Amino acid sequence: MKITGDQALVKKINKSLILHTIRKHAPLSRARVSEITGLNKATVSNLVAELCSEELVNEVGPGESSGGRKPLILHFNDRAGCVIGIELRVRQLTAVLCDLGGHVLKECEVDLENHHLPYVLEQMKRIIAELIGSAPDSHYGIVGIGVGVPGMVDEQGVVLFAPNLGWEMVDLRGLLEQEFSVPVTIDNEANAGAQGELNFGAAQDVRHLLYISAGSGIGSGIIIGGELYKGARGYAGETGHMTIEAEGKPCSCGSRGCWELYASERTYDNPGLNLPARTTPELVRYALDQQEDTLRHFRTIGEYLGIGVTNLINSFNPELIVIGGALSEAEAWLGEPLRRVVAERTLPYHKQQLEITFSKLGSRGTVIGAGFTAVMHFLGRTRVTL
Amino acid sequence: MKITGDQALVKKINKSLILHTIRKHAPLSRARVSEITGLNKATVSNLVAELCSEELVNEVGPGESSGGRKPLILHFNDRAGCVIGIELRVRQLTAVLCDLGGHVLKECEVDLENHHLPYVLEQMKRIIAELIGSAPDSHYGIVGIGVGVPGMVDEQGVVLFAPNLGWEMVDLRGLLEQEFSVPVTIDNEANAGAQGELNFGAAQDVRHLLYISAGSGIGSGIIIGGELYKGARGYAGETGHMTIEAEGKPCSCGSRGCWELYASERTYDNPGLNLPARTTPELVRYALDQQEDTLRHFRTIGEYLGIGVTNLINSFNPELIVIGGALSEAEAWLGEPLRRVVAERTLPYHKQQLEITFSKLGSRGTVIGAGFTAVMHFLGRTRVTL
DNA sequence: AAACTTTGTTTAACCAATATACAAAGTTCA
DNA sequence: TGAACTTTGTATATTGGTTAAACAAAGTTT
């Protein structure tokens, strides 16, 4: 049964529109909301009253007059509730407590000793419980938990396959919802990162974004029309296994010449390179000391990143590309070769209008994005397409 | 100013829903429409009455009773108007006159002697005028012209770049609208093909479709959520220039190792191959005669197609992939190697749920799709996303 | 202090969907 | 055969949302 139109829907659309207008443009008056949205002043007044009584919006007193009656200033009430954002990584678990505005209230980290599901789940539950315990009192309390995991996730929040954890078909959402009785959203780590940059980082208000998470592998978060695109079964964006050398090195995925064999931290293990270290933070320090092998290798990685990025540009024609993940810390050395290769290899029209930047949120992008996914899930959004 | 909700919008949503329900499920009764859409019977009655008086829907008399009063059968009125679909190719111009149901009423073809804009435009105008002249009388007359061109097109219908025609920045929509005073839609040839398969061919009711047009080059039409995805500037889907060999053959686009150098008709010119012909239809005949070099080459093309298709699967995770374009005529020889390579190279979860088929509409897919784009533009569609 | 501006609310009107009742036209089964 | 049931489609009154217009409140300008 499809979605039909009735008055309830109209109200939902307009209320959602007003809520998100206030969230993005606060502080502002009812009159300004009416101007921005095109809704009648009376409609705005009514719906704002409801939003206020739902504690999602606050009236914080009069503002400056612009030649008439003083406006009553509205704010989105960041403190109406809290969410928990979690990033599950290979060696660590990062978790944050955020308010509805995405402000981090508390942060913690645990090292993981192994990847057995019961153990990892135990750690997650412990850290979540701890954060929930330290959450400030609020009208809605904890409204959701968002998790970013290094693997493929379907629409139901089942981790289909996470090679770095050795997980297959883990119903992570079910397990966490059962424990905490709040809505849980599970997302691929790159998708969470994309959400973070889209809402708080380098990609605010971008319609078509490609977020590339380059770390121990490569994954992409694809935002189309302001909306996360997950594909038919939820595992779009597995770009690390894009072939860039038809007869290249064999990959653990069963294919050959995969992009991430040439442009991720997986290259560090290559013995021929003579690298003085095996982790990005260490190599960054060597690069700062002008260590030759490191500089050369970063240049190579940058160039290979450029090849894959070019492929994605040709397919998606995004407005903006954001490079995130552990490798983004090497921006200083990757940026030039990456942009050079993209400029060399893309079609002329792409060059003019495409921007490539590195993550603004750095290593916290994913965990903030995961949390924010839960916020958006709580607030909802109803829109019309013509 | 954003889209707001009011009663007019509600009506638009429901009317659009009913119209498209009838279009897809006809013949059917009002009661059935009410069931399918979830709308109240009275609402359906009212809106169907309007659609009838607008001639978009016809009541064609009573149907079979299922134990009660006989239903009054409704049809979408294919004959309420006509559209013209045009496919502009390198050597030819194909045009069809279609009714609103996508049925071809008349078809013609012109050979092109050169690609100078004035000459091509002259031919297009002549052929369009001829088809308009032969259109049957109908309530709305000619409601639009849809064109598929081998190049990149922006949202305004400007052909940004069409290397095979030597065109740059041609405002084709403007030129045609000025001449004929009906809405004109211009689309990339692969996008038009995707629309054709989506509505009439191998991909009916698929939500996420990837249509790959393999001919003199390779282009892709990307359907996301049932909607054509054009990217930030309208040139998403330029997948032919995806790198599959980082240091491969240089391409005329300025890059190297582009997919279409290995998996399109561009391979035919490679002197080392010893091919007995240089066009797909001829080679198909040789393949039918078991000509060895031809069979081997088709196998190679199929394998390389598989590599690129794998890349796109990893990025987009579509529900269905349809291979169209001139090379689809060689399905018998391309299918096995293509599917084999995809099976070898994709991640395990992709294999289970992905289908790869070849175009059902064959060479007419593009021109029908182009026409149908004009139909959809005329009918409009208003929907809600939660 | 009078005139004008700006903000936000109140009022009445409008209109689309809906539930409900109902009419029309069929089938089923004793 | 005819009474009971089914199905289809329409008519009616109600509901509940947006809106235009008037208005009230609170400021600025001259």
Side-chain angles (χ1 to χ4, degrees):
Chain A
M1 207 169 75
K2 300 171 187 177
I3 297 169
T4 62
D6 60 5
Q7 296 201 1
L9 179 76
V10 168
K11 189 169 179 177
K12 220 163 145 184
I13 291 169
N14 292 337
K15 201 163 167 181
S16 173
L17 179 58
I18 290 173
L19 176 61
H20 286 100
T21 301
I22 295 173
R23 198 172 60 76
K24 289 231 155 188
H25 296 77
L28 80 178
S29 66
R30 288 166 176 79
R32 186 91 189 88
V33 173
S34 169
E35 275 175 36
I36 293 175
T37 60
L39 287 165
N40 187 281
K41 289 191 295 172
T43 308
V44 172
S45 257
N46 283 329
L47 294 178
V48 165
E50 285 190 23
L51 289 168
C52 283
S53 73
E54 289 166 14
E55 300 263 354
L56 290 172
V57 168
N58 283 146
E59 205 176 80
V60 296
E64 288 295 294
S65 161
S66 63
R69 171 175 166 180
K70 284 182 183 171
L72 294 168
I73 299 300
L74 302 172
H75 267 273
F76 174 66
N77 184 9
D78 287 340
R79 303 210 172 100
C82 287
V83 294
I84 287 167
I86 295 180
E87 180 181 2
L88 178 54
R89 300 201 285 168
V90 176
R91 292 193 177 76
Q92 281 159 331
L93 197 58
T94 314
V96 291
L97 177 72
C98 289
D99 66 17
L100 297 186
H103 305 107
V104 176
L105 305 179
K106 196 177 173 192
E107 186 165 3
C108 35
E109 215 170 85
V110 202
D111 288 332
L112 293 176
E113 287 164 16
N114 62 62
H115 301 138
H116 299 311
L117 180 59
Y119 167 75
V120 174
L121 203 59
E122 190 52 41
Q123 298 298 315
M124 288 181 78
K125 286 179 181 174
R126 199 172 51 73
I127 205 169
I128 292 171
E130 188 187 320
L131 286 175
I132 288 178
S134 68
D137 271 350
S138 63
H139 188 255
Y140 291 101
I142 302 290
V143 300
I145 299 172
V147 187
V149 300
M152 294 173 235
V153 181
D154 75 7
E155 306 265 348
Q156 278 69 50
V158 176
V159 180
L160 295 168
F161 183 47
N164 296 332
L165 303 176
W167 286 12
E168 248 176 280
M169 297 298 280
V170 173
D171 179 14
L172 193 55
R173 183 165 101 187
L175 291 165
L176 291 176
E177 282 190 343
Q178 202 175 347
E179 177 79 14
F180 295 104
S181 305
V182 293
V184 173
T185 58
I186 312 287
D187 261 306
N188 173 277
E189 162 261 334
N191 287 347
Q195 292 273 25
E197 296 293 333
L198 182 69
N199 288 288
F200 302 107
Q204 299 197 34
D205 291 307
V206 169
R207 283 176 56 232
H208 306 308
L209 165 71
L210 199 57
Y211 173 85
I212 294 166
S213 168
S216 58
I218 301 181
S220 298
I222 302 167
I223 304 283
I224 287 180
E227 214 83 38
L228 191 60
Y229 172 68
K230 296 191 175 181
R233 304 285 163 187
Y235 34 98
E238 287 298 318
T239 51
H241 296 289
M242 173 168 69
T243 300
I244 62 165
E245 290 277 17
E247 299 302 326
K249 307 178 196 175
C251 180
S252 54
C253 75
S255 183
R256 306 179 140 269
C258 294
W259 188 23
E260 66 179 43
L261 298 179
Y262 301 86
S264 77
E265 291 173 334
R266 289 180 74 167
T267 55
Y268 297 167
D269 292 331
N270 190 329
L273 291 174
N274 234 353
L275 288 177
R278 291 275 192 280
T279 70
T280 302
E282 287 177 285
L283 286 172
V284 163
R285 277 195 293 279
Y286 281 103
L288 285 168
D289 289 344
Q290 307 296 322
Q291 204 276 332
E292 286 250 350
D293 299 302
T294 306
L295 292 176
R296 183 170 45 240
H297 188 55
F298 275 161
R299 191 160 55 242
T300 305
I301 289 187
E303 287 165 356
Y304 274 110
L305 274 176
I307 290 176
V309 165
T310 302
N311 285 0
L312 294 172
I313 290 172
N314 282 329
S315 303
F316 281 100
N317 181 217
E319 243 169 289
L320 173 69
I321 292 192
V322 176
I323 313 284
L327 268 170
S328 67
E329 290 169 42
E331 168 177 6
W333 303 276
L334 300 175
E336 186 277 327
L338 195 167
R339 292 195 181 87
R340 174 166 47 76
V341 167
V342 170
E344 280 167 16
R345 300 182 85 118
T346 46
L347 299 164
Y349 285 93
H350 282 124
K351 289 172 201 166
Q352 299 171 5
Q353 322 206 276
L354 178 79
E355 231 183 302
I356 301 177
T357 57
F358 283 72
S359 166
K360 265 204 182 128
L361 302 172
S363 61
R364 291 205 331 187
T366 305
V367 73
I368 289 178
F372 197 70
T373 303
V375 172
M376 289 307 281
H377 193 260
F378 169 66
L379 296 178
R381 192 187 299 192
T382 308
R383 282 201 322 293
V384 180
T385 56
L386 292 185
Chain B
M1 208 167 77
K2 300 170 188 178
I3 298 169
T4 63
D6 59 6
Q7 295 199 341
L9 180 77
V10 169
K11 191 167 177 178
K12 220 162 144 184
I13 291 169
N14 292 338
K15 201 163 166 182
S16 173
L17 178 58
I18 290 174
L19 176 62
H20 287 100
T21 302
I22 295 174
R23 199 172 60 76
K24 289 230 157 189
H25 296 76
L28 79 178
S29 66
R30 288 168 176 76
R32 187 89 189 89
V33 173
S34 170
E35 274 175 38
I36 294 175
T37 60
L39 286 165
N40 187 283
K41 287 191 296 171
T43 309
V44 172
S45 255
N46 283 327
L47 294 178
V48 163
E50 284 190 24
L51 289 169
C52 284
S53 73
E54 289 166 13
E55 300 263 354
L56 290 173
V57 168
N58 283 146
E59 207 178 78
V60 297
E64 288 295 293
S65 162
S66 63
R69 170 175 165 180
K70 284 183 183 170
L72 294 168
I73 299 299
L74 302 171
H75 267 272
F76 174 65
N77 184 9
D78 287 339
R79 302 210 172 101
C82 288
V83 293
I84 286 167
I86 295 181
E87 181 181 1
L88 178 52
R89 301 201 286 167
V90 175
R91 292 192 179 75
Q92 280 161 330
L93 196 58
T94 313
V96 292
L97 177 73
C98 289
D99 67 17
L100 298 185
H103 305 107
V104 177
L105 305 180
K106 196 177 172 192
E107 185 163 5
C108 34
E109 215 169 85
V110 201
D111 287 332
L112 292 176
E113 288 163 16
N114 62 63
H115 300 138
H116 299 311
L117 179 59
Y119 168 74
V120 174
L121 204 59
E122 190 53 40
Q123 298 298 315
M124 290 181 76
K125 286 180 181 174
R126 198 172 53 73
I127 207 170
I128 292 171
E130 189 186 320
L131 287 175
I132 289 179
S134 68
D137 270 351
S138 64
H139 189 255
Y140 290 101
I142 302 290
V143 301
I145 299 172
V147 186
V149 299
M152 295 173 234
V153 180
D154 75 7
E155 305 265 348
Q156 277 68 50
V158 176
V159 179
L160 295 168
F161 183 47
N164 296 332
L165 303 176
W167 288 11
E168 249 176 278
M169 298 298 280
V170 173
D171 179 14
L172 193 54
R173 182 165 102 187
L175 291 165
L176 291 176
E177 283 190 342
Q178 203 175 347
E179 178 79 13
F180 295 104
S181 306
V182 294
V184 173
T185 57
I186 312 288
D187 261 306
N188 173 278
E189 162 262 335
N191 287 347
Q195 292 273 25
E197 295 294 332
L198 183 68
N199 288 289
F200 303 107
Q204 299 196 35
D205 291 307
V206 169
R207 281 176 58 235
H208 305 308
L209 164 71
L210 198 57
Y211 173 85
I212 293 166
S213 168
S216 57
I218 300 180
S220 297
I222 303 166
I223 304 283
I224 288 181
E227 213 86 36
L228 191 59
Y229 173 67
K230 296 192 176 183
R233 305 285 163 188
Y235 33 98
E238 287 299 317
T239 51
H241 296 288
M242 173 167 68
T243 301
I244 62 164
E245 288 278 18
E247 300 302 326
K249 306 179 197 175
C251 179
S252 54
C253 76
S255 182
R256 306 178 141 271
C258 295
W259 188 23
E260 66 179 44
L261 298 179
Y262 301 86
S264 77
E265 292 175 332
R266 287 180 75 167
T267 55
Y268 296 168
D269 292 332
N270 191 329
L273 291 174
N274 234 352
L275 289 177
R278 293 272 192 280
T279 70
T280 302
E282 286 177 286
L283 287 172
V284 164
R285 276 196 293 278
Y286 281 103
L288 284 169
D289 289 345
Q290 307 296 322
Q291 204 275 332
E292 287 251 349
D293 299 300
T294 306
L295 292 175
R296 182 170 45 239
H297 188 55
F298 275 160
R299 191 161 55 242
T300 305
I301 288 187
E303 287 165 355
Y304 274 110
L305 274 176
I307 291 177
V309 165
T310 303
N311 285 359
L312 294 172
I313 290 171
N314 282 329
S315 303
F316 281 101
N317 181 217
E319 243 170 288
L320 174 68
I321 291 191
V322 176
I323 312 284
L327 269 169
S328 67
E329 290 169 41
E331 167 174 7
W333 302 276
L334 300 176
E336 187 276 327
L338 194 168
R339 292 196 180 85
R340 174 167 45 76
V341 167
V342 170
E344 279 168 17
R345 302 183 84 119
T346 45
L347 299 163
Y349 285 92
H350 283 123
K351 289 171 200 165
Q352 298 171 4
Q353 320 206 277
L354 179 79
E355 231 184 302
I356 301 177
T357 58
F358 284 71
S359 166
K360 267 206 181 126
L361 302 172
S363 61
R364 289 204 334 188
T366 305
V367 72
I368 289 177
F372 197 69
T373 305
V375 171
M376 289 308 280
H377 193 260
F378 170 65
L379 295 178
R381 193 186 300 190
T382 309
R383 284 202 320 295
V384 181
T385 56
L386 290 184

